[in-house]
Amino acid sequence: MIKHIVMFKLKDAEGRSEYENALEAKKRFDNVIANVKELKKGEVVINSKEAPESNYTISLLCDFDTIADLNAYQVHPAHLEFGKFIGSVKTDRACIDYEY
């Protein structure tokens, strides 16, 4: 199994606050979960409003059977569409992919 963890720092953008953009990202990622068959499990978590400002805003936690499945996910139209949105509201990104 491959664990794919991506963290984003978001900003006020698109007429929404940072937190509202986190909620919008979570809603939009549901489309990715529903449409990418290679994605075995996907979850979006939002940082607590009371947590330090230096924390990342959201994290995507994804499981794939193989690295080939992760690579297929990366180019899937639903993921690319999500990426367009995230690209417009993020200030920073960190990612790790590991086998478990």
Side-chain angles (χ1 to χ4, degrees), residues 30-50:
D30 285 344
N31 183 55
V32 177
I33 293 168
N35 288 293
V36 180
K37 67 177 176 59
E38 293 86 359
L39 178 59
K40 297 303 174 197
K41 182 180 176 188
E43 179 182 11
V44 176
V45 293
I46 300 173
N47 192 50
S48 171
K49 288 182 179 181
E50 291 80 35

Side-chain angles (χ1 to χ4, degrees), residues 73-89:
Y73 155 84
Q74 295 289 1
V75 297
H76 190 283
H79 178 258
L80 295 175
E81 185 65 30
F82 176 77
K84 286 180 192 175
F85 170 73
I86 281 292
S88 71
V89 299

Side-chain angles (χ1 to χ4, degrees), residues 3-9 29 43-45 56-62 64 70 73-74 79 82 86 90 92-97:
K3 178 70 81 175
H4 173 67
I5 301 173
V6 187
M7 298 184 303
F8 297 100
K9 285 189 182 186
F29 198 72
E43 179 182 11
V44 176
V45 293
Y56 282 77
T57 313
I58 64 169
S59 182
L60 310 181
L61 310 169
C62 303
F64 299 90
L70 170 60
Y73 155 84
Q74 295 289 1
H79 178 258
F82 176 77
I86 281 292
K90 75 172 175 72
D92 203 4
R93 175 187 179 275
C95 181
I96 187 169
D97 299 313

Side-chain angles (χ1 to χ4, degrees), residues 10-21 24 85-91:
L10 303 183
K11 62 184 175 182
D12 295 352
E14 307 288 321
R16 291 181 292 267
S17 70
E18 175 186 4
Y19 183 74
E20 289 169 330
N21 278 323
E24 181 67 18
F85 170 73
I86 281 292
S88 71
V89 299
K90 75 172 175 72
T91 61

